[in-house]
């Protein structure tokens, strides 16, 4: 029995000499040892930061949006407001690949059970990709107009054109004013 107590006492003594798991459960000497092992100065980690403003969607008065988070291929689509106003989308005409476009050009069309609307490009550039899945399933525009229902990607020729578009808050106010009329 005394051998078992002696072994448990030795284990306890070893535990006290090792680093403590919590400051609340350590002795004064262990706390001093922990402080001595910690570096006096820890340099701040630097990380890449960018303005959140540069990664937000921008909107037009014609209810298109553009996401410029990837400047090599900005994504274009129609807004949630426009998708709701159109109703059930039954057909989407997509732009041609490598088509050169100017700001305000019609690049395609969206037809619904209620009406048809042209899709206008909010910026100038070259169409680099189209969402061909919309040809088979145009209802993606209704279920996810600002996500999986994107229409085309464009390589912008002038990033300055984006600055004239509305941010999300300004677009929300614009649509509220339009609804009130």
């Amino acid at each position: 029995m005394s051998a078992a107590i002696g072994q448990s006492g030795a284990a306890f003594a070893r535990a006290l000499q090792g680093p403590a798991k919590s400051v609340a459960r350590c002795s004064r000497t262990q706390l001093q040892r922990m402080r001595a092992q910690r570096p006096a100065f820890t340099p701040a980690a630097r990380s890449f930061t960018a303005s959140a403003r540069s990664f937000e969607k921008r909107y037009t008065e014609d209810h298109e949006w553009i996401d410029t988070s990837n400047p090599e291929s900005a994504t274009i689509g129609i807004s949630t407001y426009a998708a709701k106003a159109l109703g059930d989308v039954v057909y989407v005409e997509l732009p041609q690949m490598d088509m050169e476009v100017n700001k305000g050009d019609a690049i395609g069309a969206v037809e619904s059970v209620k009406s048809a609307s042209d899709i206008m490009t909010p910026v100038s550039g070259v169409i680099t990709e189209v969402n061909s899945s919309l040809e088979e399933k145009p209802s993606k525009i209704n279920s996810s107009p600002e996500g999986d229902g994107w229409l085309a990607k464009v390589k912008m020729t002038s990033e300055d054109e984006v600055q004239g578009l509305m941010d999300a808050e300004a677009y929300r106010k614009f649509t509220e004013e339009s609804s009130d009329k």
Side-chain angles (χ1 to χ4, degrees):
M1 175 91 165
S2 65
I5 293 172
Q7 286 179 346
S8 65
F12 179 73
R14 277 194 305 274
L16 285 177
Q17 291 176 356
K21 303 258 190 238
S22 167
V23 175
R25 286 188 258 155
C26 64
S27 68
R28 181 172 178 82
T29 54
Q30 285 178 320
L31 180 60
Q32 289 172 342
R33 195 176 313 128
M34 283 173 42
R35 284 185 180 158
Q37 291 173 352
R38 185 177 65 205
F41 172 73
T42 306
R46 295 193 60 168
S47 64
F48 173 77
T49 60
S51 168
R53 190 167 197 65
S54 64
F55 294 117
E56 67 186 357
K57 287 183 181 169
R58 298 295 201 144
Y59 297 85
T60 69
E61 290 183 2
D62 294 324
H63 307 289
E64 286 91 13
W65 58 264
I66 185 164
D67 182 354
T68 58
S69 58
N70 181 355
E72 290 298 314
S73 63
T75 307
I76 298 172
I78 66 169
S79 69
T80 303
Y81 178 86
K84 286 180 182 176
L86 279 170
D88 293 334
V89 176
V90 293
Y91 176 75
V92 178
E93 180 186 333
L94 296 170
Q96 298 294 317
M97 293 284 293
D98 300 322
M99 182 170 109
E100 288 187 31
V101 296
N102 292 314
K103 182 178 181 174
D105 286 353
I107 59 170
V110 176
E111 292 181 19
S112 71
V113 293
K114 291 182 181 178
S115 67
S117 296
D118 286 334
I119 302 163
M120 312 299 240
T121 179
V123 294
S124 301
V126 177
I127 302 296
T128 59
E129 188 178 345
V130 295
N131 190 354
S132 56
S133 69
L134 293 177
E135 293 173 335
E136 297 164 13
K137 198 168 181 184
S139 62
K140 276 187 180 182
I141 289 179
N142 295 113
S143 62
S144 181
E146 296 189 33
D148 293 337
W150 61 274
L151 299 163
K153 295 192 179 190
V154 62
K155 181 174 181 165
M156 296 185 297
T157 53
S158 174
E159 293 182 20
D160 294 337
E161 293 175 331
V162 175
Q163 300 308 316
L165 302 175
M166 294 178 274
D167 63 9
E169 182 62 25
Y171 181 70
R172 184 187 60 76
K173 288 178 183 175
F174 173 76
T175 56
E176 286 175 358
E177 290 171 5
S178 297
S179 298
D180 292 342
K181 291 180 182 178

